Amino acid sequence: MSTIRDVAKLANVSTATVSRVLNNDTKYKITDETRERVWQAVTQLNYKITDSPKHQAATKDHSANKAQVKIGCVLSVTKNKYNDPYFMSILSGVEKRLLQSGYNIAFIRTGPELDDKKILFNTFSESITGLILMESLNSETYEYVRKQVPHIVGIDTERWDIDNVGYDHYNVASLAVSHLIEKGHTNIGYIGGSGLKSNLKESRRYQGYYSTMHAAGMSVNPEWLIDCMWDEVVCIDKVNHLCQTNNLPTAFFAASDLMAMATLNSLYNNGISVPDEVAVIGLSNIEVSKYSNPPLSTIDVPTEEIGMVAVDLLLERMNGNSLLPKKVILPTHLVVRSST
């Protein structure tokens, strides 16, 4: 195990300086560059202040002392911490199952928050028993967290060394596009985000869209591929541009209900009738999608159940299950409303 002296040596500072940075001591002036070196060393060396004996006892017998078990959650968000109803529904399922099992969520963080090494260290400075991870995280952050937390379950992450729960991204996209094709559409656009890979076309949802179009003998117009970075304002702006240049497909598959509803907003403001002129289908079936104008066709994803199953897997790991990591795919289904 790394010591404070190891951190000081790697950061090329004194142990006193390391202590002041870790404790946020502002009595002595420390430059931002020095603080960054210290946090970098802390992360690289996997340094922890303590390894609580209580945690060791809890990991041996969680049922005997649940109060000592700490379970955290890392959300995947694009803007504000609690603005995405998709992930909030998953979180609801997580909280419900934990409460049913006699546990609470000890903390909730986001991927961008953990990019700050100070927040990362402070979050995991105490022993954490388990973690529900909704964000793949960058490699450095993930490796640090992996070393700190004995039991992690992912929700649609790209980490194959842990259990994961989710849905088939390729299949839901194919299902949505097939529905539009059955409705007679041949000019179908795609709206989504690039995520960590920074390439829209590497998304499994895009690949499901593309393959289904190709199998039906239809071409994909690159001008109708909208990477909105999961931002409703960007989505509206880009759809506005297509409306104003009179360059619209007859249908859009939006890879999230929020983006689909932003698309409906843009089309309405530009006087485009849905579904008469342009049809729109979303993905996830968030609660408000049934109240959009018109009500949104979508693919239902069992978000609350995803959260509950993730907790079940986590508790299994905490209770000694040491089998190879598993991937659990929950079923989805088409919900047809007035937007198609």
Side-chain angles (χ1 to χ4, degrees):
M1 181 181 295
S2 301
T3 67
I4 194 170
R5 291 184 178 85
D6 297 327
V7 175
K9 182 178 180 180
L10 182 58
N12 195 28
V13 297
S14 67
T15 55
T17 297
V18 173
S19 178
R20 289 167 188 146
V21 170
L22 297 184
N23 291 292
N24 200 28
D25 186 347
T26 58
K27 183 177 180 180
Y28 300 92
K29 184 171 178 60
I30 301 174
T31 67
D32 291 340
E33 189 267 338
T34 298
R35 289 182 186 277
E36 179 61 27
R37 288 209 315 274
V38 170
W39 287 120
Q40 189 71 36
V42 165
T43 303
Q44 288 181 13
L45 294 173
N46 191 31
Y47 174 71
K48 294 184 74 171
I49 294 177
T50 59
D51 190 12
S52 169
K54 291 182 180 179
H55 169 70
Q56 296 174 5
T59 56
K60 292 178 182 177
D61 187 2
H62 299 288
S63 61
N65 200 345
K66 292 183 177 180
Q68 295 175 358
V69 174
K70 289 189 175 182
I71 297 173
C73 182
V74 177
L75 291 176
S76 178
V77 294
T78 52
K79 289 193 273 187
N80 299 323
K81 193 168 185 175
Y82 299 111
N83 77 320
D84 192 322
Y86 173 81
F87 290 106
M88 289 304 99
S89 182
I90 294 176
L91 180 62
S92 174
V94 169
E95 290 180 316
K96 179 182 292 187
R97 185 63 103 214
L98 283 175
L99 287 173
Q100 290 172 350
S101 305
Y103 299 99
N104 292 301
I105 293 182
F107 65 85
I108 298 174
R109 292 294 190 193
T110 69
E113 286 174 347
L114 295 183
D115 286 338
D116 184 321
K117 290 183 172 58
K118 181 179 177 181
I119 294 176
L120 177 66
F121 178 80
N122 288 337
T123 301
F124 296 98
S125 61
E126 297 183 10
S127 293
I128 307 299
T129 312
L131 186 69
I132 301 295
L133 183 65
M134 301 189 199
E135 174 80 67
S136 292
L137 302 178
N138 64 62
S139 296
E140 182 182 29
T141 301
Y142 176 74
E143 290 304 322
Y144 179 81
V145 171
R146 192 79 176 91
K147 291 173 183 175
Q148 307 299 320
V149 184
H151 309 294
I152 303 177
V153 172
I155 293 177
D156 270 331
T157 73
E158 298 174 3
R159 303 298 177 184
W160 302 105
D161 57 332
I162 59 174
D163 294 329
N164 267 277
V165 186
Y167 64 95
D168 189 331
H169 289 216
Y170 183 100
N171 182 65
V172 295
S174 180
L175 186 60
V177 174
S178 294
H179 170 66
L180 294 174
I181 292 173
E182 288 170 4
K183 286 286 187 176
H185 296 283
T186 57
N187 299 324
I188 302 171
Y190 175 85
I191 300 172
S194 51
L196 282 176
K197 291 184 175 180
S198 300
N199 187 340
L200 184 74
K201 295 182 179 180
E202 291 185 28
S203 159
R204 291 287 290 164
R205 282 168 284 191
Y206 171 81
Q207 291 168 2
Y209 155 82
Y210 180 86
S211 295
T212 305
M213 292 284 287
H214 181 74
M218 300 173 186
S219 59
V220 171
N221 185 339
E223 295 182 355
W224 298 336
L225 303 180
I226 296 178
D227 184 353
C228 60
M229 301 172 287
W230 307 118
D231 186 314
E232 297 97 315
V233 174
V234 174
C235 179
I236 289 172
D237 286 345
K238 292 194 174 186
V239 176
N240 280 344
H241 175 73
L242 293 181
C243 293
Q244 291 157 9
T245 56
N246 197 27
N247 183 26
L248 283 168
T250 63
F252 278 113
F253 163 49
S256 90
D257 279 358
L258 284 180
M259 300 308 108
M261 293 171 74
T263 302
L264 291 177
N265 177 274
S266 172
L267 294 172
Y268 175 82
N269 288 334
N270 283 278
I272 306 297
S273 176
V274 177
D276 298 333
E277 296 177 80
V278 177
V280 179
I281 187 169
L283 169 59
S284 68
N285 195 25
I286 60 176
E287 182 66 21
V288 295
S289 65
K290 67 180 74 169
Y291 304 115
S292 63
N293 184 22
L296 180 67
S297 293
T298 185
I299 308 296
D300 180 75
V301 176
T303 48
E304 188 169 297
E305 290 81 358
I306 286 174
M308 297 175 77
V309 171
V311 171
D312 289 344
L313 290 176
L314 184 64
L315 296 181
E316 285 180 17
R317 293 298 181 185
M318 289 164 53
N319 289 322
N321 184 345
S322 58
L323 294 175
L324 291 171
K326 64 180 73 172
K327 185 171 185 178
V328 179
I329 301 297
L330 298 190
T332 56
H333 65 269
L334 176 67
V335 178
V336 179
R337 299 192 183 109
S338 303
S339 68
T340 57

